[in-house]
Amino acid sequence: MKRLLTMAAVLVALTACQKVELGEPSGENEQSEQASESVKTKKFTFTMKGEWKPVTRAYLSADGKDLTDVWVLDYDADGNLLQQLHQADNTAEDFGRPVMQLAYGVHRIYFVASRGVNPVLSTDTHTLTFDNVRDTFWKRYDVTVVATSNGNRAVTLDRIVTKLRLTFTDAVPADAASIIITPHTWYYGFDYTTGLPANAQTDKPSTISIPSTSIGQTGVQASLFSFSTADEWTTDVAISSQSATGSVLGSATIVSAPFRANRVSDYAGPLFSSGGSMTLSLNGEWADSYAGTW
């Protein structure tokens, strides 16, 4: 009996030391593991910077005007849209500091900040267009996300608009109701993947109402924004003033006015009185100065 117990103990010990083979993982388990790896993400907080200054913690402002909208469009290296974000409340705590979960891998991200009126975003044509163009900033930002990536990034956006600013040196008459500015070519949108202008309009008038406080005043100004390339381009601009009944009170024409992104084309001269001419200077607050006449 003692001999049988000893042999049984040896068998138990051998069984306890035996290596158990589990075999190769099945295809189903491999796919599950790979799928789990492919959806790994990391939180990124982007702080947007540009030719503006924060008015409060929640605002972005340029030239004293608050920006109203922020867009972030996240693409992969093959040009597929992964996700998009639109901030339309410029009083929100995170306005201008968007937070996104980015999957591991290569990302091409496009940032836009604007105060344009009635924006329309089309991911089919990669365009953002406006009924009324205002100050707008843009940037393409490439990032490769890995486990050790820093999730806090500062992104500096560039101004992609030009501005025509008119200063009327003669007094505004009592019956003046509006200023009509009609550029021969003007851009009301841009391609958010390149930052280049789009949606060109020909001879489209823009009407600006004259407030009663401007009657009798000299030095009254009117401005118009367009999307623009960094390279200079030119277009003719027709300017007129009308009364409330539609009577033309004065007019002027600018021939081959020069424009480029991040620069003001600054014209001054009489509109309501006969004679004289307007002169041009390009505002050095945005870029280098330039002078000319029409």
Side-chain angles (χ1 to χ4, degrees):
M1 177 64 71
K2 184 176 181 180
R3 179 182 177 88
L4 289 174
L5 289 174
T6 301
M7 291 180 65
V10 170
L11 289 174
V12 170
L14 289 174
T15 301
C17 295
Q18 185 177 359
K19 183 178 180 181
V20 179
E21 297 290 344
L22 298 179
E24 296 295 327
S26 67
E28 180 179 355
N29 289 337
E30 285 182 343
Q31 293 173 0
S32 176
E33 183 177 350
Q34 290 169 2
S36 176
E37 288 293 325
S38 68
V39 297
K40 282 188 176 180
T41 63
K42 189 174 183 68
K43 178 182 176 181
F44 274 72
T45 300
F46 296 97
T47 301
M48 300 170 65
K49 302 163 58 180
E51 295 296 326
W52 59 64
K53 59 183 179 180
V55 177
T56 68
R57 183 180 176 186
Y59 285 77
L60 297 177
S61 175
D63 288 348
K65 302 289 186 179
D66 295 330
L67 303 180
T68 57
D69 293 86
V70 164
W71 291 265
V72 185
L73 296 109
D74 175 24
Y75 282 77
D76 64 19
D78 296 322
N80 300 307
L81 178 61
L82 302 177
Q83 57 182 322
Q84 58 181 295
L85 178 153
H86 179 201
Q87 295 181 324
D89 179 5
N90 65 0
T91 65
E93 283 292 314
D94 63 345
F95 185 76
R97 287 178 294 276
V99 177
M100 303 185 84
Q101 290 287 342
L102 301 184
Y104 286 11
V106 176
H107 294 258
R108 185 167 295 163
I109 307 175
Y110 304 99
F111 294 87
V112 180
S114 179
R115 61 181 185 89
V117 178
N118 295 332
V120 176
L121 175 71
S122 172
T123 57
D124 293 332
T125 60
H126 299 157
T127 56
L128 186 57
T129 59
F130 300 85
D131 286 348
N132 193 338
V133 180
R134 301 285 174 82
D135 220 352
T136 302
F137 301 82
W138 169 89
K139 192 69 174 182
R140 167 182 157 177
Y141 188 86
D142 294 349
V143 59
T144 299
V145 181
V146 296
T148 57
S149 293
N150 180 355
N152 295 310
R153 301 294 177 98
V155 183
T156 301
L157 279 63
D158 300 317
R159 180 180 274 119
I160 57 171
V161 294
T162 186
K163 180 166 71 171
L164 170 65
R165 183 166 58 194
L166 305 172
T167 301
F168 306 109
T169 56
D170 50 354
V172 178
D175 55 346
S178 62
I179 301 289
I180 299 94
I181 307 172
T182 308
H184 179 61
T185 301
W186 213 239
Y187 297 94
Y188 288 83
F190 70 101
D191 184 326
Y192 63 73
T193 65
T194 63
L196 296 177
N199 192 29
Q201 301 289 323
T202 301
D203 297 326
K204 179 180 178 179
S206 292
T207 300
I208 301 173
S209 297
I210 299 175
S212 59
T213 53
S214 295
I215 300 301
Q217 300 295 314
T218 60
V220 172
Q221 293 185 328
S223 298
L224 198 64
F225 287 86
S226 170
F227 290 100
S228 177
T229 59
D231 296 327
E232 189 172 274
W233 53 282
T234 63
T235 192
D236 298 343
V237 182
I239 311 156
S240 65
S241 175
Q242 292 185 357
S243 68
T245 60
S247 299
V248 176
L249 304 177
S251 63
T253 300
I254 305 172
V255 178
S256 298
F259 298 98
R260 67 178 173 87
N262 197 38
R263 191 175 70 181
V264 178
S265 293
D266 216 348
Y267 279 87
L271 177 65
F272 310 101
S273 57
S274 60
S277 62
M278 286 192 177
T279 58
L280 162 71
S281 65
L282 298 189
N283 192 344
E285 292 180 4
W286 282 16
D288 296 335
S289 297
Y290 180 92
T293 61
W294 86 54

